[in-house]
Amino acid sequence: MGADLGTSAGSPPGPAPGAAFDPANCPRLVVKIGSSLLVDAAGAVRSQWLAGVVADVAQRRAAGQQILIVSSGASALGARRLGLEKGGRASLEDAQAAAAVGQVALAGAWEALLAAQGLTAAQVLLTLGDLEDRRRYLNVAATTRRLLDLGAVPVLNENDTVATTEIRFGDNDRLAARAAQAAGASGVILLSDVDGLYTANPATDPAAKRLAVVKALTPEIMAMATGETRSGMGSGGMVAKLLAARMAGAAGIALAICDGRVESPLTHFANAGGGTLFLPPRAAKGRKAWLAGRITVAGSLSVDAGAAAALKRGASLLAAGVTQIEGRFRRGDVVAILGPDGDALGRGLAGYDADDARAIRGLRGDAQAAVLGYAPRTALVHADHLVLI
Ligand code: GLU
């Protein structure tokens, strides 16, 4: 187990691989709530609806399920309070100011509603870097687990006031998937103003059908999504939800998109079903699961078909199979591994600095030593530090 607090240490058991899995009843659950559900057209918190969600949470807590909330809505609440045009999205400064004002109101609403159910709210504001950097990720993991152990309900959001456009999640769907991984949750429910993934846009195509269960995020499934949000308020859209499902799945976590427009949506989902459930294809563990969920990479290694096939059999990535290297990375940085067609195959920790990696690209072991002036390592990315996605 060592220092690898980021996954299974002390967490409830996850789903058996391949088993049908119900996020509504898993031991530890992340519930993400979109802006359009939380904030009404006049820019106020939809308190009555939210009270229903909180009653659901209290009921589940009493039944033994641990719950973390990921709450959007700060920008939408703050923009209205500051009288900002375009919902506070006219500039980065506006968005950051809106989030600062809105986050206080949002936290206040959660505090009051959870307290009314006898529950303690805990605010956790995260930036992308808090979960992309392994050390900080483990810190978030430890803090959220401690809060759950103490009986508090963590309420998470991106710290939009300090997150800049270049380095941010931008949508709380992926933040929810990543936070679930850190907290050792085995399920994520995205409460949304859509009731799941449809084969086509249901607003324009009457033949569109909702998919109840998705077992693999194939290119066909990914192509069903558009990036637009229905309300224009949040930043998620279906693309972000599918990326979140992929991220969750890579960590062995099931994710459901379900309709939040009803009263008591968690109880409704548990009783009536609906939505779309994404089953995790395989459960990567520890550092590998964290690697798979990385959003930012320091560079990329393109590989030939032979190397791609070898990786799929579990081999390390050897310099001989690398055709192209992009970026300025140091040994130990996370790099993307791209297939011959440029498709993302996986992520790994670079075994060399970028300059040395470029020098030995395409070479076999003995030729590498001559170029490097030192005995080469076994691989450019070792199989132990590599995950396929
Ligand atoms: N963090 C944003 C907010 O609180 C929401 C991001 C999203 O829409 O997913 O407003």
Side-chain angles (χ1 to χ4, degrees), residues 64-312:
Q65 190 177 38
Q66 291 185 325
I67 298 200
L68 298 96
I69 308 277
V70 172
S71 175
S72 302
S75 316
L77 285 173
R80 188 54 75 111
R81 278 173 171 67
L82 290 170
L84 293 171
E85 57 185 23
K86 297 188 182 160
R89 286 156 195 262
S91 69
L92 179 61
E93 290 79 6
D94 276 8
Q96 293 185 322
V101 169
Q103 185 60 38
V104 182
L106 191 59
W110 280 107
E111 221 264 317
L113 290 170
L114 284 165
Q117 294 283 349
L119 297 171
T120 304
Q123 176 175 257
V124 182
L125 296 179
L126 297 170
T127 57
L128 181 66
D130 294 327
L131 294 168
E132 294 283 271
D133 177 277
R134 180 78 179 158
R135 205 172 276 276
R136 283 154 70 192
Y137 170 88
L138 292 176
N139 185 40
V140 172
T143 307
T144 46
R145 285 158 197 243
R146 183 70 185 134
L147 286 168
L148 290 169
D149 287 347
L150 291 168
V153 179
V155 181
L156 285 62
N157 195 2
E158 186 161 13
N159 194 349
D160 295 310
T161 296
V162 297
T164 62
T165 37
E166 296 81 38
I167 30 173
R168 65 195 296 257
F169 278 96
D171 64 85
N172 274 354
D173 301 311
R174 287 180 300 169
L175 175 69
R178 198 66 159 139
Q181 191 185 340
S186 42
V188 175
I189 293 180
L190 304 178
L191 289 181
S192 177
D193 59 2
V194 291
D195 66 344
L197 175 66
Y198 281 75
T199 51
N201 185 349
T204 50
D205 186 345
K209 288 209 167 43
R210 179 175 57 82
L211 300 174
V213 178
V214 173
K215 290 195 179 131
L217 284 161
T218 58
E220 293 73 32
I221 296 280
M222 296 306 283
M224 290 173 189
T226 68
E228 289 152 29
T229 60
R230 178 184 291 214
S231 64
M233 228 192 256
S235 17
M238 195 50 79
V239 171
K241 290 177 178 44
L242 294 190
L243 293 174
R246 171 179 285 168
M247 195 184 273
I253 298 168
L255 179 144
I257 300 171
C258 78
D259 195 352
R261 292 167 298 183
V262 295
E263 295 295 311
S264 301
L266 294 176
T267 301
H268 184 268
F269 178 57
N271 294 340
T276 300
L277 173 62
F278 297 84
L279 291 172
R282 61 175 178 269
K285 287 256 180 286
R287 184 192 294 269
K288 288 204 173 198
W290 171 81
L291 259 178
R294 281 277 302 218
I295 291 179
T296 49
V297 289
S300 67
L301 310 175
S302 301
V303 306
D304 62 23
L311 292 179
K312 285 179 186 152

Side-chain angles (χ1 to χ4, degrees), residues 57-65:
V57 170
Q59 208 178 56
R60 277 151 182 275
R61 280 278 312 249
Q65 190 177 38

